[in-house]
Amino acid sequence: MASVLVVEDDTDIQFMISFLLKKAGHEVRTADDGQAALDRWAEQRCDLVILDWMMPGLTGPEVCSRLRALPGGQDVAVLMLTAKSEKDDVTEAFAAGVDDYMTKPFSPRELPERVEALLARVAQTR
């Protein structure tokens, strides 16, 4: 079981992601915006952060960059889950430090599988 921080400002999507990951056996915490995500990270680190791109305040890539600069921030897996799908968006996200990228709408079956694969891959390399 991994601990996951879901950073999503749309409450319906946040609920769906949380439900799917809890069903898969993970401990899930949530944040509605980028600053709240960084505050939650400071309170309690987690194994994986799922980040939306477009949120009030800080964007997903900004949150990822700031997270990576914090102590222990290099060790967390980061999945960008966003409606942004242009090549430049994907490039920007990876430049900010994300480990994986999924677009919305997403498959409820695929998300838990991608989470498991990302956690396994990151555990091997870090």
Side-chain angles (χ1 to χ4, degrees):
M1 176 174 82
S3 60
V4 181
L5 176 59
V6 176
V7 188
E8 171 64 60
D9 62 325
D10 182 309
T11 55
D12 292 334
I13 296 172
Q14 185 187 92
F15 176 82
M16 180 191 295
I17 295 168
S18 298
F19 174 79
L20 292 169
L21 296 179
K22 286 177 183 176
K23 186 177 174 185
H26 300 293
E27 174 190 324
V28 179
R29 294 181 297 134
T30 60
D32 298 329
D33 62 57
Q35 187 56 56
L38 294 171
D39 293 344
R40 296 267 174 149
W41 171 260
E43 293 169 8
Q44 182 181 4
R45 294 181 185 174
C46 57
D47 301 307
L48 171 71
V49 176
I50 297 179
L51 275 176
D52 185 20
W53 186 305
M54 299 173 286
M55 300 178 288
L58 302 171
T59 66
E62 290 170 330
V63 173
C64 187
S65 292
R66 291 182 186 196
L67 181 63
R68 294 294 189 210
L70 295 173
Q74 292 296 319
D75 298 328
V76 64
V78 178
L79 169 65
M80 181 73 65
L81 181 59
T82 178
K84 294 178 74 74
S85 61
E86 298 295 321
K87 284 185 179 182
D88 290 343
D89 300 327
V90 176
T91 301
E92 182 179 342
F94 280 106
V98 303
D99 296 295
D100 200 359
Y101 195 98
M102 282 183 71
T103 57
K104 299 175 189 173
F106 61 91
S107 163
R109 184 175 290 167
E110 181 183 358
L111 179 63
E113 292 173 0
R114 293 278 288 266
V115 164
E116 295 303 326
L118 178 57
L119 288 167
R121 186 172 69 237
V122 170
Q124 290 177 348
T125 61
R126 294 194 173 135

